[in-house]
Amino acid sequence: MHLRLYNTLSRNIEEFKLPKSKAVNLYTCGPTVYENAHIGNLRSYIFADVLRRTLEYDGYKVNWVMNITDIDDKTIKRTVDEYGKKATPQELRKYTDKYFADFKKDMEAVNVPTDSKHIKFIRVSDELEEIKKFIKDLIKLGYAYKTDDGVYFSIEKYQKKFGDYGALVGKDFLKGKKIGARVKVDEYEKENLSDFALWKGRDESDGNIFWEDEEFGEGLPATQELALQAGRPGWHIECSVINKIAFRGEPTDIHTGGVDLLFPHHTNEIAQSQPLYKPFVNHWSHCEHLLVNGRKMAKSEGNFYTLKDLEKEISDAGIVFRYLVLQTNYRTQMNFTLDSLKAAEAGLEHLSDARFNWNNPGDVVNTEEYFLKALNDDLNTAEALAILGGLVGFKNAGARVDKMADALGIKFFNAEITPEVRKLKEEYEECRRNKQFVQSDALRKKIKGLGYTVRDTETGSIIRRARK
Ligand code: AMP
Ligand code: ZN
């Protein structure tokens, strides 16, 4: 079966046609490690992980790579705030180490594995030499130019050759816009169409966080020479370079991120990379936003929850959040509330009860085909969950259900009911059917003594091991 996946660039659902013999180059824009991730960020990584799992379920080997943005306006500012005006690159590294470690913990909590078998993280601060080389190549080819405060990418030059700047946003993106201004900051609005910084000459506010390269000063008037010899990369160039490093210059098969990255980040990634190799990316895939009260969850809005916030409300918050997220298609905005989180917790408890109690009579035939179809239909996780839900209470479906849960990255709560307790449960139900209530009460006590609760329902009793 082949995955059909929406391509942001073509605005169509396309069949993913890579031969199964070839590993999939999957790239995800990773976190900016200046603070803890919020659960909106985690939604975009859960989506990428479901994509990775689906490809693997379909029989592909996946090379999944994620950058870690430890050099950008925000990480530098925070490091200088913390260490003072003399802050160094080593201190930047130390400052961001903590958030990178926390990020991995959050990822594990939402069941996105972070070991090297599943994903490779590449830190920007480890790749300065490659970044500088990439920028120099763009200068040589005429797509980048030096000024007295940085090296900038020329949209005009790019546009003359390729004619598709901004195509990810829409084909008429450039209509009515004036090209020419320059922007040094990493983040800016669509209206401010500007040549953007690849290399930012050292600024006093950066403390001592800079890297040196004499070549960047060459050819400039003597008064300006020094201005560029010390500096640091812009945000967008980092991802272009890390894609190239990750897949050794082969095209990236699928590139993911949240929709806020369409412009300027991914638009600029394409522009920087195409002069060196084309296609840069075969398939662009974006996750819609998680909202709070109808607005994008964002650090700048101050309306965000972290996983730690959710853990104060419920236990197993990461896995419950994942279960909640999968109920909505990744291309649909999703409004987050604590009530919806609690409803998801109840839903997952119910599913877990069904998984281990086998209270559905009879056997079921294979529904794996429908499950696979749903996942391969542009990652229809809501439908895949519904199919899993229809199968989960049958004794003969256990192994299949576990495989499906794994494809979605869902974990059931309750540990398996031990054979001893299962036998007691059967005896208990038998006694109740025969109205031998003294015996059934004794059995109930015995089951409780082994750490389980017992609940009687119309379709049988439910035994549950208490969650920690
Ligand atoms: P950042 O750490 O800000 O670079 O963001 C990391 C990832 O989270 C990017 O792919 C963003 O597009 C994504 N993202 C940011 N905010 C949200 C949100 N509210 N909902 C979903 N994804 C988001
Ligand atoms: Zn990126």
Side-chain angles (χ1 to χ4, degrees):
M1 192 168 303
H2 279 281
L3 172 63
R4 297 175 71 255
L5 186 68
Y6 184 79
N7 186 345
T8 319
L9 191 59
S10 69
R11 286 164 181 73
N12 281 319
I13 292 186
E14 291 174 4
E15 192 163 295
F16 184 69
K17 287 205 187 94
L18 202 73
K20 291 268 161 82
S21 56
K22 208 184 154 301
V24 180
N25 293 335
L26 174 65
Y27 184 88
T28 297
C29 279
T32 310
V33 279
Y34 71 109
E35 241 183 36
N36 287 121
H38 61 61
I39 57 172
N41 302 135
L42 294 178
R43 181 188 187 197
S44 74
Y45 301 125
I46 292 170
F47 141 70
D49 183 54
V50 168
L51 173 58
R52 190 263 307 166
R53 286 171 190 261
T54 302
L55 290 163
E56 286 178 354
Y57 203 109
D58 286 348
Y60 285 106
K61 183 179 174 312
V62 181
N63 293 330
W64 189 17
V65 176
M66 183 181 287
N67 69 298
I68 300 295
T69 303
D70 55 5
I71 304 177
D72 88 320
D73 295 347
K74 291 183 276 200
T75 55
I76 292 179
K77 182 174 181 314
R78 289 292 176 90
T79 307
V80 173
D81 288 348
E82 175 108 355
Y83 290 92
K85 283 201 162 123
K86 289 187 180 155
T88 61
Q90 291 73 28
E91 282 160 343
L92 174 83
R93 183 88 181 186
K94 214 160 46 179
Y95 183 83
T96 53
D97 271 350
K98 175 191 177 315
Y99 294 108
F100 181 26
D102 282 356
F103 173 69
K104 284 196 273 193
K105 277 189 216 143
D106 283 350
M107 293 278 270
E108 291 286 342
V110 296
N111 204 18
V112 180
T114 59
D115 61 292
S116 58
K117 246 177 58 199
H118 291 97
I119 189 164
K120 182 175 179 187
F121 295 109
I122 302 185
R123 279 179 85 151
V124 171
S125 59
D126 285 328
E127 302 301 341
L128 261 295
E129 288 312 309
E130 288 293 326
I131 294 171
K132 289 192 279 190
K133 186 177 169 307
F134 200 111
I135 296 172
K136 287 175 202 166
D137 285 346
L138 286 175
I139 296 174
K140 266 184 224 138
L141 291 169
Y143 293 94
Y145 61 93
K146 298 176 187 178
T147 71
D148 58 0
D149 73 345
V151 179
Y152 287 83
F153 187 85
S154 167
I155 294 177
E156 194 181 353
K157 282 269 167 58
Y158 176 84
Q159 197 55 11
K160 259 192 199 140
K161 167 88 185 190
F162 294 92
D164 63 357
Y165 185 79
L168 209 48
V169 186
K171 71 179 178 5
D172 294 331
F173 176 70
L174 278 185
K175 247 192 196 156
K177 290 200 174 76
K178 212 169 141 268
I179 304 179
R182 278 199 298 274
V183 57
K184 197 173 174 188
V185 291
D186 288 330
E187 290 173 76
Y188 52 96
E189 298 299 318
K190 283 194 196 71
E191 292 66 38
N192 308 336
L193 180 73
S194 304
D195 288 357
F196 52 92
L198 304 173
W199 182 257
K200 304 181 184 191
R202 187 182 168 193
D203 189 286
E204 231 178 83
S205 61
D206 297 344
N208 281 337
I209 301 172
F210 62 85
W211 289 264
E212 288 180 298
D213 195 292
E214 277 184 17
E215 264 186 64
F216 284 133
E218 276 172 15
L220 288 175
T223 48
Q224 290 177 15
E225 215 174 21
L226 284 176
L228 297 197
Q229 281 182 7
R232 48 139 171 149
W235 171 35
H236 315 300
I237 191 72
E238 299 171 351
C239 271
S240 287
V241 177
I242 292 180
N243 272 271
K244 188 157 175 272
I245 296 170
F247 309 125
R248 296 164 303 280
E250 283 178 23
T252 301
D253 292 308
I254 308 178
H255 190 313
T256 82
V259 287
D260 54 311
L261 297 187
L262 286 173
F263 186 91
H265 190 54
H266 289 166
T267 293
N268 291 349
E269 273 188 46
I270 295 174
Q272 296 157 144
S273 299
Q274 294 208 139
L276 299 187
Y277 65 110
K278 196 178 169 192
F280 161 49
V281 169
N282 285 321
H283 203 115
W284 286 95
S285 195
H286 290 91
C287 172
E288 256 300 347
H289 284 145
L290 190 68
L291 312 180
V292 179
N293 295 326
R295 293 172 71 111
K296 179 193 167 193
M297 183 180 292
K299 285 169 196 160
S300 56
E301 295 272 338
N303 63 350
F304 62 91
Y305 292 89
T306 63
L307 217 46
K308 278 205 178 77
D309 296 327
L310 306 195
E311 278 156 7
K312 286 179 208 148
E313 301 291 327
I314 60 168
S315 42
D316 305 300
I319 210 68
V320 172
F321 177 67
R322 183 174 180 119
Y323 181 63
L324 173 64
V325 159
L326 295 183
Q327 291 167 20
T328 302
N329 181 282
Y330 75 95
R331 285 204 286 131
T332 307
Q333 291 187 335
M334 178 181 163
N335 200 54
F336 176 79
T337 62
L338 287 174
D339 282 347
S340 65
L341 184 75
K342 286 178 184 158
E345 182 188 31
L348 192 53
E349 268 188 341
H350 186 73
L351 208 64
S352 305
D353 286 342
R355 166 66 188 89
F356 296 112
N357 280 276
W358 307 333
N359 283 356
N360 289 2
D363 285 346
V364 281
V365 287
N366 195 1
T367 47
E368 192 174 334
E369 189 193 331
Y370 297 104
F371 178 83
L372 257 181
K373 245 192 197 153
L375 266 192
N376 279 291
D377 179 13
D378 199 23
L379 307 178
N380 190 342
T381 50
E383 173 139 358
L385 275 177
I387 293 166
L388 187 156
L391 200 63
V392 71
F394 293 92
K395 183 174 178 178
N396 76 329
R400 271 176 287 162
V401 164
D402 288 348
K403 196 171 161 211
M404 291 176 189
D406 190 52
L408 292 164
I410 290 297
K411 283 189 201 163
F412 298 109
F413 287 143
N414 311 347
E416 186 98 35
I417 296 172
T418 61
E420 182 195 4
V421 175
R422 191 172 295 288
K423 197 158 162 285
L424 291 173
K425 177 192 174 194
E426 278 160 17
E427 286 170 26
Y428 169 80
E429 286 180 319
E430 180 70 20
C431 290
R432 276 180 58 84
R433 270 193 296 276
N434 298 336
K435 304 204 181 329
Q436 298 166 303
F437 294 118
V438 178
Q439 288 93 326
S440 71
D441 272 355
L443 285 163
R444 170 194 282 269
K445 275 195 190 123
K446 210 165 170 188
I447 294 170
K448 274 191 168 168
L450 292 167
Y452 293 77
T453 58
V454 183
R455 188 159 48 91
D456 302 314
T457 72
E458 276 174 19
T459 49
S461 2
I462 305 273
I463 307 263
R464 176 187 286 181
R465 186 135 90 186
R467 281 161 62 203
K468 286 190 195 88

